[in-house]
C-alpha cells in the first residue's frame, strides 16, 4: 500500500475532544494541499465545541460566534463527528490504533485545581468550573446546587477571567440573564439568590492580575452592582511600580492597573449589589459547621523569586463571614489511562505536540496532542489555533517520513461498524445540527439565542428523531 495521504490511501486521523483545538487541528489537516486526509472528531458529549459551549459565559455571545468557523470545517467531505462516544467506555486507545494512522488528543483540562486549605470541601465551597458548567447547561453539572438562596456574601478566589465570569454571573440582573443562552435551570436560581456582596480575592497585586482588560472593565459596567476597590490596595509596591513603568510590562497589566485605580477613586452609587475587589489576599481556611460560614484571609506581600513577584504570607489574618465560596484558581487536565501524563503540569507528556513515552523520552509513534491538554489552561480561544498548527506541522512532517501508525483496518466504515457492534449511540454532525436547530427554535419565542438541553437523553432523543443518531 502507498504511504498514507494519497487518494488510494488517505491519511486517517482520530481527534479526541471536539473543542476549539480539535476543530482547528481537523481544519488544518483537511486543508493541507499535499495530503489527502479523513478526520474523525470524537467527543464524549453529543454536542461539539467544548468550552465554547460549556465554558464561555452566556453574556458573551460574540465569543461564541466562532462556532461558525467550526461549522465550515465540519462541512468538508473528509470530516466526520462522532458525539456521545467516550474513550474507555465505547472505544479503547487500542481501537483507535487499529483504525487510524494518527491519534490527536484535544480533550482539554476539565478538572479544577485545588487550594489545599482546610474547609475547602465544606458544602458552600465549590469549584468555579462546576458553577460555570451548571449555568452553561453542561450535562455533568446540570443537577448541582450551590445554596444561592441562603447566601448573602459570596467570595470568589482567583484573579483570572473565569473569576470575572462567575462574579458577573452572580451580579447580572434577571433581565440581562434572560437575554442569554444560560441554562434554564440557572435563571430562576440566580434571580432569586440572596447575594448582596461578592468579594474577589487576588493573591498578588493589581499589576499581576490574570484577567484581561475587557473583562475587568465589564465588572464596572454592571447595571446592578457597584465596584469597590480600596485605594490602599491599588498602591503598587516598589517592584511592581518599577515593572509597570518599564518596557517589559505588558499593556494588559498597565491598563488593568489604570482601570482598578479608577474604580478605587469612584464612589458607590447604591446599586443593589456590591463587588469588592481585594488584592494581596489569600484564603487560609474556610470555616463552618454544616456549611460554609466564613473564610479566613491571609495578607500577602510580594517578594521577588526567580525573576517574578510571588505572594508571601505576612501572617496577618482576617475572618469574613460568607455563605458561598467559589474557587477559581485554574483548571487542570485529567489523565486518560494508557496515555503518558505529566502529573505536575496536568498535561499529556509531549514535546511540541508529539506525545512522549516518558519525560525526555521517545515520541510515541502516531500519538499527538494540542490545546489545553498539551500546554495547560492558558490563553484565549484563538491561542489554540496557533497551538494546533505546531502539532499538525509535526504530524504532517511525520506522514512524509513514514513515522505513523500502521492500522489493520483503516476503512472509514470500520469504526462505525465497531461502534454499532458495541451499541454506542453515536451522534453525527447532522445529529448535532438537529439538536442545534431544536435549541435555537426553543429560544425564538423568548428572543433568546437558544434554550439549551442539559440532559444527554434529551439531546439523544432530538438527534435520533427521524432516524438513528449516526445519520
Ligand atoms: P488563570 O487565568 O490562570 O487565573 C487563575 C488565577 O488563580 C490567577 O489569578 C492565579 O493567581 C490564581 N491562583 C492560582 N492558585 C491560587 C491559589 N492557591 N490561591 C489564590 N489564587 C490562586 O485561569 P482561569 O481564570 O481559570 O482562566 C483559564 C484561561 O481561560 C485563561 O487563559 C483565561 O484568560 C481564559 N479565559 C478567557 C476568557 C475570556 O476571554 N473572556 C474567559 C474565561 C477564561 P497567580 O497569578 O498569582 O498565580
Amino acid at each position: 500500500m502507498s504511504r498514507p495521504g494519497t487518494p488510494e490511501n488517505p491519511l486517517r486521523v482520530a481527534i479526541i475532544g471536539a473543542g476549539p483545538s480539535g476543530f482547528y487541528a481537523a481544519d488544518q489537516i483537511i486543508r493541507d494541499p499535499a495530503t489527502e486526509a479523513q478526520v474523525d472528531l470524537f467527543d464524549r458529549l453529543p454536542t461539539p465545541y467544548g468550552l465554547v459551549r460549556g465554558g464561555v459565559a452566556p453574556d458573551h455571545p460574540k465569543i461564541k460566534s466562532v462556532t461558525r468557523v467550526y461549522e465550515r470545517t465540519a462541512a468538508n467531505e473528509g470530516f466526520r463527528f462522532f458525539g456521545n462516544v467516550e474513550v474507555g467506555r465505547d472505544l479503547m486507545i487500542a481501537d483507535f490504533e487499529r483504525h487510524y494512522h494518527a491519534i490527536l488528543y484535544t480533550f482539554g483540562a476539565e478538572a479544577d485545581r485545588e487550594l489545599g486549605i482546610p474547609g475547602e470541601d465544606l458544602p458552600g465551597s465549590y469549584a468555579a468550573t462546576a458553577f460555570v458548567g451548571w449555568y452553561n447547561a453542561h450535562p455533568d453539572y446540570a443537577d448541582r446546587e450551590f445554596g444561592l438562596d441562603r447566601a448573602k456574601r459570596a467570595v470568589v478566589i482567583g484573579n483570572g477571567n473565569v473569576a470575572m465570569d462567575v462574579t458577573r454571573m452572580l451580579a447580572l440582573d434577571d433581565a440581562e440573564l434572560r437575554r442569554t443562552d444560560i441554562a434554564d435551570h440557572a435563571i430562576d436560581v440566580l434571580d432569586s439568590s440572596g447575594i448582596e456582596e461578592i468579594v474577589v480575592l487576588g493573591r498578588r497585586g493589581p499589576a499581576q492580575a490574570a484577567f484581561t482588560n475587557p473583562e475587568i472593565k465589564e465588572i464596572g459596567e454592571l447595571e446592578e452592582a457597584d465596584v469597590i476597590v480600596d485605594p490602599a490596595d491599588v498602591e503598587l509596591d516598589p517592584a511592581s511600580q518599577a515593572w509597570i513603568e518599564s518596557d517589559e510590562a505588558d499593556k494588559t497589566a498597565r491598563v488593568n492597573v489604570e482601570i482598578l485605580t479608577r474604580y478605587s477613586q469612584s464612589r458607590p452609587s447604591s446599586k443593589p449589589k456590591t463587588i469588592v475587589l481585594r488584592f494581596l489576599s489569600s484564603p487560609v481556611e474556610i470555616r463552618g459547621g454544616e456549611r460554609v460560614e466564613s473564610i479566613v484571609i491571609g495578607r500577602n506581600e510580594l517578594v521577588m523569586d526567580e525573576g517574578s513577584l510571588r505572594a508571601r504570607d505576612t501572617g496577618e489574618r482576617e475572618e469574613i463571614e460568607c455563605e458561598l465560596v467559589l474557587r477559581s484558581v485554574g483548571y487542570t487536565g485529567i489523565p486518560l489511562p494508557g496515555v503518558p501524563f505529566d502529573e505536575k503540569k496536568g498535561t499529556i507528556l509531549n514535546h511540541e505536540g508529539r506525545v512522549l513515552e516518558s519525560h525526555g523520552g521517545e515520541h510515541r509513534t502516531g500519538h499527538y496532542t494540542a490545546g489545553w491538554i498539551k500546554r495547560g489552561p492558558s490563553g484565549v480561544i484563538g491561542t489554540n489555533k496557533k497551538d494546533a498548527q505546531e502539532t499538525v506541522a509535526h504530524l504532517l512532517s511525520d506522514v512524509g517520513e513514514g513515522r505513523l501508525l500502521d492500522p489493520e483496518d483503516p476503512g472509514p466504515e470500520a469504526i462505525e461498524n465497531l461502534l454499532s457492534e458495541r451499541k454506542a449511540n453515536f451522534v453525527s454532525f447532522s445529529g448535532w445540527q438537529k439538536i442545534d436547530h431544536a435549541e435555537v427554535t426553543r429560544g425564538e419565542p423568548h428572543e433568546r439565542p437558544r434554550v439549551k438541553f442539559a440532559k444527554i437523553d434529551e439531546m439523544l432523543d432530538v438527534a435520533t428523531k427521524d432516524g438513528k443518531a449516526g445519520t
Side-chain angles (χ1 to χ4, degrees), residues 162-398:
V162 172
M164 294 298 103
D165 283 349
V166 299
T167 299
R168 247 182 15 263
M169 294 313 292
L170 289 173
L172 282 176
D173 78 357
D174 187 43
E176 289 168 303
L177 290 173
R178 283 183 197 277
R179 284 197 289 270
T180 72
D181 68 359
I182 187 169
D184 257 5
H185 58 239
I187 295 184
D188 290 337
V189 176
L190 284 168
D191 184 39
S192 58
S193 100
I195 304 266
E196 292 170 2
E197 187 176 293
I198 306 146
V199 180
V200 185
L201 302 181
R203 68 171 164 186
R204 297 191 287 162
Q208 289 82 31
F211 45 67
T212 40
N213 303 151
E215 282 67 27
I216 187 63
K217 210 161 154 262
E218 266 177 302
I219 292 288
E221 291 164 354
L222 293 165
E223 295 278 338
E224 297 277 294
D226 284 315
V227 183
I228 294 186
V229 180
D230 184 340
D233 256 11
V234 283
E235 251 172 55
L236 299 186
D237 59 290
S240 297
Q241 186 65 45
W243 179 75
I244 210 91
E245 287 168 3
S246 73
D247 294 339
E248 280 165 43
D250 59 273
K251 190 163 169 257
T252 299
R254 212 172 283 145
V255 175
N256 276 349
V257 171
E258 281 167 23
I259 294 169
L260 290 163
T261 306
R262 262 205 318 276
Y263 290 165
S264 74
Q265 292 159 350
S266 64
R267 284 172 180 277
S269 59
S270 69
K271 292 181 182 172
K273 292 180 186 169
T274 307
I275 297 170
V276 184
L277 303 175
R278 297 186 52 165
F279 296 92
L280 296 171
S281 301
S282 276
V284 175
E285 184 184 348
I286 297 168
R287 289 187 178 159
E290 304 272 290
R291 299 185 60 85
V292 170
E293 289 168 22
S294 69
I295 184 165
V296 180
I297 298 169
R299 180 87 187 156
N300 296 328
E301 59 188 358
L302 292 177
V303 288
M304 191 58 83
D305 183 21
E306 293 180 1
S308 68
L309 285 165
R310 192 173 58 78
R312 183 169 69 188
D313 188 4
T314 62
E316 201 181 310
R317 297 285 180 268
E318 178 190 356
E319 183 170 356
I320 58 173
E321 277 179 29
C322 62
E323 298 76 28
L324 175 68
V325 173
L326 291 176
R327 311 179 307 265
S328 180
V329 296
Y331 290 74
T332 187
I334 303 174
L336 186 62
V339 181
F341 197 72
D342 186 331
E343 293 288 346
K344 214 170 148 206
K345 286 193 188 158
T347 59
I348 289 176
L349 207 53
N350 77 95
H351 179 65
E352 295 178 354
R354 284 186 173 115
V355 176
L356 301 180
E357 292 290 357
S358 57
H359 277 282
E362 294 279 302
H363 170 208
R364 178 174 286 190
T365 305
H367 292 247
Y368 301 85
T369 179
W372 277 11
I373 197 63
K374 165 190 173 186
R375 69 172 193 281
S378 64
V380 293
I381 289 163
T383 314
N384 295 302
K385 190 171 180 182
K386 205 154 172 257
D387 183 289
Q389 263 161 5
E390 178 183 64
T391 302
V392 170
H394 285 315
L395 191 157
L396 294 174
S397 108
D398 291 347

Side-chain angles (χ1 to χ4, degrees), residues 17-67:
S21 303
F23 272 94
Y24 289 129
D27 196 71
Q28 290 154 16
I29 294 167
I30 291 171
R31 283 179 199 275
D32 181 63
T35 313
E36 188 74 23
Q38 292 170 351
V39 173
D40 289 348
L41 179 55
F42 294 84
D43 204 284
R44 73 179 176 88
L45 293 181
T47 53
Y49 308 146
L51 278 184
V52 175
R53 180 177 167 97
V56 172
D59 61 333
H60 280 173
K62 259 197 199 152
I63 299 182
K64 291 174 199 241
S65 63
V66 69
T67 56

